[in-house]
Amino acid sequence: MMKQDPQHLSSASLSTNPPPGILAGHHSSTPTSEVEDIRLLRRGIIVNISSMLGSIALPDGTAAYCASKGGVLNLTRQLALDYAPYLVNINALCPGFLETAMTAGNRRSSQSAQDITHSSELKEPSTSAEKTGERMRCATPFGEWGKVEDVARMAVSLASADAAWVTGAEIVSDGGLVL
């Protein structure tokens, strides 16, 4: 792995969400000690967290975020290939738009798919962030923001025996947005 200095990355998103390989490459040209420990055990599970934005692009200046999450996906595929002989399952979980502290400024708690179904009028978002959040919600076929608990259950599934034959996969949990 090529050694890189994370301090030279100019994007705030890449320094907040660096592809793990950048940091691993910065510290050593060999895999991290955790992966080495798993390799010695000859069985293991790693679930990387990426994003649906690792596979698609959105407007409004998301290039660095998309690049960092795309890096996680490619690293997942490469490590899955490298560690398959040691029976290590390595997959990536790619959440969509979720109700989190990071998205709180974009969400409107009063607007949900049920509100739209039971209401004849759509309330107009008042701020630019709310308008962005409303576009995100409307773009999701389920018509609402996802919950962290839904993605957590998928991560548990990927770490269970049910996913024993799954490796190098990109599992998208986004309410149908990336089809």
Side-chain angles (χ1 to χ4, degrees), residues 50-53 92-98 140 142 144-155 158 170-178:
S50 181
S51 168
M52 68 174 186
L53 295 180
L93 184 53
C94 305
F97 301 126
L98 300 179
T140 303
F142 279 178
E144 57 192 22
W145 287 76
K147 306 242 183 300
V148 172
E149 295 83 4
D150 297 326
V151 176
R153 283 192 298 275
M154 180 55 68
L158 284 172
E170 174 182 329
I171 308 299
V172 181
S173 179
D174 68 353
L177 184 65
V178 179

Side-chain angles (χ1 to χ4, degrees), residues 106-168:
N106 296 68
R107 287 181 283 112
R108 293 178 51 200
S109 60
S110 64
Q111 196 65 45
S112 71
Q114 281 196 336
D115 292 340
I116 292 171
T117 304
H118 296 92
S119 172
S120 60
E121 60 184 77
L122 178 63
K123 297 174 190 168
E124 202 49 44
S126 60
T127 68
S128 175
E130 284 180 349
K131 287 178 184 174
T132 298
E134 186 65 11
R135 285 194 316 267
M136 295 161 105
R137 187 196 58 75
C138 288
T140 303
F142 279 178
E144 57 192 22
W145 287 76
K147 306 242 183 300
V148 172
E149 295 83 4
D150 297 326
V151 176
R153 283 192 298 275
M154 180 55 68
V156 169
S157 294
L158 284 172
S160 76
D162 292 340
W165 197 241
V166 179
T167 195

Side-chain angles (χ1 to χ4, degrees), residues 31 33-44 82-83 85-88:
S33 62
E34 291 83 7
V35 174
E36 284 296 322
D37 291 344
I38 289 171
R39 188 182 68 144
L40 294 173
L41 291 172
R42 293 198 49 83
R43 190 73 218 168
D82 291 346
Y83 287 91
Y86 303 100
L87 302 177
V88 179

Side-chain angles (χ1 to χ4, degrees), residues 2-4 6 20-30 32:
M2 186 172 73
K3 293 187 180 190
Q4 297 180 10
I22 291 176
L23 295 180
H26 174 68
H27 296 294
S28 168
S29 61
T30 61
T32 63

Side-chain angles (χ1 to χ4, degrees), residues 63-82:
Y65 183 83
C66 290
S68 70
K69 295 307 183 178
V72 171
L73 293 178
N74 210 31
L75 180 68
T76 298
R77 288 186 285 268
Q78 185 61 54
L79 290 178
L81 182 61
D82 291 346

